[in-house]
Amino acid sequence: MQRNGVLSVTLLVGPSRANFHLQVHFLCQVSKVFKAAFTDSILGSAKRTLELPEDDVQTVARFAQWLYSRKFQLAGFQSEEDAHDRFQALAKLSAFSDKFEVPSLMNDTIARMWEPWELYAKGKLSDRQLFCPRVSLVAQIYERSSSDSPMRRLITAWYAWEIGLTWYDHDKTRDALSDLSQDFVVDLVMALGQRFASRERRSPFSLPKEIYYVEVDEPGASFEYSCATEKFVE
């Protein structure tokens, strides 16, 4: 499909098959997965549409916003529900970045996790507005991400720092842990061990966010040869 002289493709998202018409140049530039999906040198044909039935419409909308502006909108900081909505949106974006190999978006997602703490350091948020992600969200992150996901590492480090030893005295703690991914429990034990071995309890947000970034090796350099073909034009 060609819109205003620009080659575009369509993503059909979720059970409702919501339509997102996006420029193929940008998709191929940021994601090896999308580049592979929209180019097929072996068969000599290229797709114009890609169905994403399991993906979330709001998440793809944020991805589309980011694709053109390198920014995406999130909820504010006024309440715990706002914080939960932010975390959930970032967790879904992280999973999307993981699934479709969009390293730049993954890094921007990690950077937005630092935002409340940066505002707190500037005196623009109170400590009462610094909420930890709910256990249910941790379960979602581990269910939808790869084993080397930086979001997994950050959430585990956050819990290891945030948890006080009295948490283990709560009656519901065992049930909460048993409902979570075994991978998270193992990662949490390792992170707690490191915390006690170092004898200091440092917030992960006191460290540079870049330590959680993934390497950006975007496939855009070869775009002109492999993506910009008239096969995309209707």
Side-chain angles (χ1 to χ4, degrees):
M1 183 183 298
Q2 191 169 26
R3 291 172 175 267
N4 299 321
V6 178
L7 301 174
S8 65
V9 292
T10 302
L11 304 183
L12 302 175
V13 182
S16 65
R17 303 177 86 241
N19 280 247
F20 289 86
H21 301 293
L22 302 175
Q23 292 182 24
V24 69
H25 171 84
F26 292 139
L27 287 172
C28 290
Q29 192 174 52
V30 302
S31 164
K32 293 179 180 178
V33 173
F34 284 128
K35 181 177 180 180
F38 289 120
T39 59
D40 194 340
S41 57
I42 296 176
L43 297 178
S45 62
K47 292 182 179 180
R48 295 183 181 89
T49 63
L50 182 64
E51 298 206 24
L52 307 178
E54 298 179 357
D55 288 279
D56 175 66
V57 173
Q58 287 188 334
T59 299
V60 177
R62 287 190 174 95
F63 166 66
Q65 184 184 24
W66 173 88
L67 189 65
Y68 290 100
S69 68
R70 289 304 189 267
K71 298 177 182 179
F72 51 85
Q73 293 182 336
L74 295 171
F77 304 96
Q78 299 307 309
S79 67
E80 185 173 0
E81 283 305 313
D82 286 342
H84 178 67
D85 288 345
R86 285 178 66 86
F87 291 143
Q88 194 159 52
L90 290 170
K92 288 179 178 180
L93 277 170
S94 172
F96 185 91
S97 304
D98 218 356
K99 179 179 178 180
F100 294 102
E101 297 183 33
V102 191
S104 294
L105 177 59
M106 176 68 80
N107 292 344
D108 286 351
T109 300
I110 291 292
R112 295 296 295 270
M113 294 289 285
W114 255 256
E115 200 169 32
W117 298 89
E118 291 169 344
L119 291 173
Y120 171 70
K122 295 176 182 178
K124 296 182 179 180
L125 282 184
S126 71
D127 56 358
R128 294 183 180 181
Q129 293 172 292
L130 299 176
F131 299 100
C132 186
R134 297 171 184 173
V135 172
S136 59
L137 188 61
V138 175
Q140 285 183 33
I141 290 170
Y142 268 76
E143 180 183 345
R144 299 172 182 173
S145 62
S146 61
S147 59
D148 59 350
S149 164
M151 187 63 79
R152 280 193 181 193
R153 291 191 288 114
L154 175 57
I155 290 296
T156 302
W158 194 346
Y159 261 71
W161 166 70
E162 183 81 16
I163 291 173
L165 293 180
T166 56
W167 186 66
Y168 295 96
D169 293 330
H170 294 173
D171 294 337
K172 295 183 179 179
T173 296
R174 181 181 178 86
D175 292 338
L177 288 174
S178 64
D179 289 340
L180 289 171
S181 162
Q182 184 178 356
D183 288 343
F184 171 69
V185 176
V186 171
D187 289 347
L188 181 60
V189 169
M190 297 295 293
L192 285 169
Q194 292 169 4
R195 168 183 148 186
F196 289 119
S198 67
R199 296 187 178 182
E200 69 175 327
R201 189 176 175 181
R202 294 185 66 185
S203 162
F205 301 102
S206 67
L207 302 172
K209 52 182 171 285
E210 289 80 8
I211 66 173
Y212 290 96
Y213 282 7
V214 295
E215 183 179 355
V216 177
D217 181 21
E218 293 180 339
S222 60
F223 166 79
E224 293 297 336
Y225 175 76
S226 62
C227 288
T229 74
E230 61 185 9
K231 297 184 182 73
F232 290 99
V233 181
E234 281 189 339

